[in-house]
Structure formats: structure tokens, C-alpha cells
Amino acid sequence: MGEEPPNNLHQIHAISLHLSPPDLTNEHRHPSNNLHRPISKKPRMKSTSRLFTISLVSSWYCSNIGVLLLNKYLLSNYGFKYPIFLTMCHMTACSLLSYVAIAWMKMVPMQTIRSRTQFIKISALSLVFCVSVVFGNISLRFLPVSFNQAVGATTPFFTAVFAYLMTLKREAWLTYVTLIPVVTGVIIASGGEPSFHLFGFIMCISATAARALKSVLQGILLSSEGEKLNSMNLLLYMAPIAVVFLLPATLIMEENVVGITLALARDDVKIIWYLLFNSALAYFVNLTNFLVTKHTSALTLQVLGNAKGAVAVVVSILIFRNPVSVTGMLGYSLTVFGVVLYSEAKKRSK
């Protein structure tokens, strides 16, 4: 049927000579032979991948912190006191740029809304999303960025509360224990904040609670496989719905804001560029967040997210020179420490 196995030493010797590796001494005598060998691309690919990840994280940090600081500058320092209109500009930019990224640039496959029920669920999420962004922008009119970030760090507390109230989902007891320093830190930071403003604080807490409510609602409403959307597609549908919600609110609560903005532009055309750049930056916050989530691990994302708030605090203090107290910084540090413990406890309980 096949070849017979070698039955004498001569045949074995012949086979071994045929399969033996090339003579290495020839390579030593002629080194130029090695020049034609392909160079391994693995180290170069690894370094390119590392550089890409670093640039991605840097873009995420810059867009997140940039839009936060520019919002603060416009609403507080510049005197543009129209947070609802500003949010509507953000959502308009997100609508247009999301469509460009998905429909034209094909960054991710377009997912379609499959039913009226799914549309209603997305609309409900969009409404909560609007409330969280508008309230957050209102709080920036009255509070420094450093304190705004300290209050915003309590999101895990509200997420745990809403998850329990709406799904009766209980976490491990250790997870709830880690929330104690999160809340305690904000209480300490509030007591030691030189620029504390009660209305601004209420708006900031409400924005943080709404942000947590959106994440819990999203897990409940879009839980089935047929209704799940990635964050880019979800933004594509949520943003225009948000514009529909925000337009009447802007017309009623911020009367003649377009006329006022145009009048400001006649005196200082930079306001138009500020609004355009700020709105585009608001979209890139969502885009870079999606890309960083895609290209890094969950643990890396948690660490980077916790560090981002601290970086924003330091940068805002350096730029706006707002007064800070030792008590306030200790309170914020305790909150961040609690958030890190919470993340670790959640990871271990899974």
C-alpha cells in the first residue's frame, strides 16, 4: 500500500541525510546569505499597537476633560448662561457626526430599530440622558469643576440604589460597605468646599443620579439580544430624540437664546467657534469612550476612568484658580478611594 520502512542502515542513513538541516557552517562563511531572510514584524506591530492605545487614551482624556473645562468656561467665566441651548448644540453635533461615522465612514455596522417598543425604550433613555446632561451643565454655572467631579464620583452609589429598587438585585455585602467612603467623602468635601452653592449642588447630585438611572434603565430596557445596540448606534438614535426634547425646553426656558447668541457673535465672533468646537468635542467624548472600551480591558478602563476625574480636578484648579481646602481635597480623595474599592469588590463578586 505505501512505502516500506527502511530495513537496513544504508537506507536509514540516506533518509537522515535527505532530512538533515542545511549546513550552518556555510552561513558562518557567507554572512551575506542572512540578509535575505525576512525580519520578524512582531515587535514592530506590538509597539505600533501600544502607541495606538496610548494615543487613543490620550484623546479620550483630552476630549473628556476639554469639554468639561470648556463648558465651565462658557457657562461661568464667559457668561453664556444658557445650559439647555448648549446641551442642544451638543446633541445636534452628536446626531450629525454619528450619522457621518456610521453611514458614511462605516466605523461600525448600522443597527436598525426593529419595533415601536424599542423606539419608545430608546426615547425614555434619551429623556433621562437629556436630564443628566442639562443638570450637569447647570451645576457648572455655580460649582467649580473640582467639586463637580467629587459629586460625580458618587455614581456607583446611585447605580447600586437604582439597581436594587428597580431589579431587586442585591450585591455582596462587601460591595455595599465600599460605598460608605464614597458617600462620606462627598459629605466631607461639601463641608470643606469654599465655593459651595446649594442649588448647584442639588443640580449636580440630580445629574449624577440621572446618569446612574440611565445605565440601569439601559440594562433593563435593552436587555434582549434583538434590542441590544452598541454605544455608537445608541447615540445615533438617542441624540436626535434628545434634540426634539430640548428644542421646546430651550424656547420656553431660554427665550430668544438664538438672537442673544447672534448679538454676542457680532461683538465677539469667538463665541460661534467656541460653540462649534465644544459641540464637536462632545461627540468625540462618546467616540473615544467607545474606542477605548473596545481596545482595552475592563480593568484598564476602570483604572483610567478613576484617574480621569483626578486629572480633571488638577487641571481645572490650575486653569481656573478656584480656591480649594485641605478638607475638600481629603473628602474627594476618600470618595475616589471608595470608588476604587467598589470596582474591586464588584469584580471579585462576579
Side-chain angles (χ1 to χ4, degrees):
M1 293 293 289
E3 291 184 7
E4 291 183 9
N7 52 13
N8 58 52
L9 289 173
H10 177 73
Q11 284 181 303
I12 293 171
H13 182 64
I15 292 170
S16 66
L17 282 174
H18 181 69
L19 297 177
S20 63
D23 185 13
L24 295 177
T25 57
N26 186 48
E27 291 184 5
H28 287 294
R29 285 198 298 269
H30 302 283
S32 59
N33 291 348
N34 292 330
L35 296 177
H36 299 289
R37 290 192 173 187
I39 298 168
S40 175
K41 293 183 180 179
K42 282 187 178 180
R44 189 181 297 173
M45 288 175 65
K46 194 173 287 185
S47 62
T48 305
S49 176
R50 192 180 294 117
L51 279 172
F52 174 73
T53 305
I54 290 169
S55 62
L56 205 56
V57 171
S58 300
S59 301
W60 183 46
Y61 267 49
C62 290
S63 58
N64 267 270
I65 296 170
V67 79
L68 183 66
L69 298 180
L70 196 49
N71 283 350
K72 173 63 180 175
Y73 174 74
L74 285 170
L75 294 167
S76 185
N77 297 59
Y78 191 87
F80 188 79
K81 301 175 181 179
Y82 306 102
I84 302 175
F85 178 71
L86 182 63
T87 307
M88 191 176 77
C89 290
H90 290 180
M91 293 300 108
T92 304
C94 287
S95 303
L96 296 172
L97 293 174
S98 291
Y99 185 79
V100 169
I102 296 173
W104 292 357
M105 297 175 68
K106 310 290 184 185
M107 291 188 71
V108 293
M110 182 177 280
Q111 297 171 286
T112 56
I113 296 178
R114 300 185 178 185
S115 65
R116 185 180 176 184
T117 306
Q118 188 184 14
F119 176 76
I120 292 169
K121 289 176 179 180
I122 292 170
S123 299
L125 283 175
S126 184
L127 180 60
V128 178
F129 181 53
C130 279
V131 170
S132 71
V133 177
V134 170
F135 282 10
N137 285 338
I138 291 171
S139 74
L140 285 172
R141 277 191 62 193
F142 303 100
L143 298 176
V145 172
S146 53
F147 186 55
N148 177 281
Q149 289 294 287
V151 176
T154 60
T155 303
F157 168 76
F158 289 103
T159 303
V161 170
F162 284 127
Y164 178 73
L165 292 175
M166 299 174 74
T167 66
L168 298 178
K169 179 187 174 184
R170 287 190 176 186
E171 301 287 353
W173 66 271
L174 189 61
T175 306
Y176 290 117
V177 169
T178 59
L179 292 172
I180 295 171
V182 173
V183 178
T184 307
V186 169
I187 293 169
I188 294 169
S190 302
E193 176 54 52
S195 308
F196 183 82
H197 190 285
L198 182 59
F199 178 71
F201 177 72
I202 292 169
M203 288 292 100
C204 197
I205 281 285
S206 302
T208 306
R211 196 159 51 243
L213 178 61
K214 177 192 165 286
S215 67
V216 175
L217 272 176
Q218 189 172 325
I220 297 170
L221 297 180
L222 303 178
S223 57
S224 67
E225 284 301 319
E227 292 182 333
K228 280 183 180 177
L229 299 172
N230 63 48
S231 60
M232 292 281 284
N233 275 276
L234 187 59
L235 184 68
L236 173 68
Y237 295 116
M238 278 175 51
I241 295 169
V243 173
V244 172
F245 286 134
L246 291 167
L247 183 59
T250 302
L251 295 173
I252 295 166
M253 300 175 72
E254 296 177 345
E255 195 175 348
N256 198 29
V257 65
V258 176
I260 293 166
T261 305
L262 292 173
L264 281 170
R266 280 193 288 271
D267 295 329
D268 183 11
V269 74
K270 285 189 291 185
I271 183 65
I272 300 297
W273 294 110
Y274 284 148
L275 289 173
L276 288 173
F277 180 68
N278 192 25
S279 300
L281 209 55
Y283 170 72
F284 281 105
V285 168
N286 292 281
L287 175 62
T288 54
N289 187 65
F290 170 78
L291 293 173
V292 169
T293 306
K294 184 179 178 182
H295 290 279
T296 61
S297 65
L299 178 61
T300 305
L301 196 66
Q302 282 180 356
V303 173
L304 292 172
N306 293 331
K308 179 166 59 67
V311 173
V313 168
V314 173
V315 173
S316 70
I317 292 170
L318 292 174
I319 291 175
F320 296 112
R321 306 284 180 182
N322 57 282
V324 291
S325 66
V326 175
T327 308
M329 294 313 293
L330 283 173
Y332 177 65
S333 301
L334 182 60
T335 296
V336 172
F337 178 66
V339 170
V340 172
L341 291 178
Y342 172 82
S343 301
E344 188 64 27
K346 283 277 286 182
K347 189 177 71 174
R348 291 189 177 187
S349 64
K350 285 181 179 178

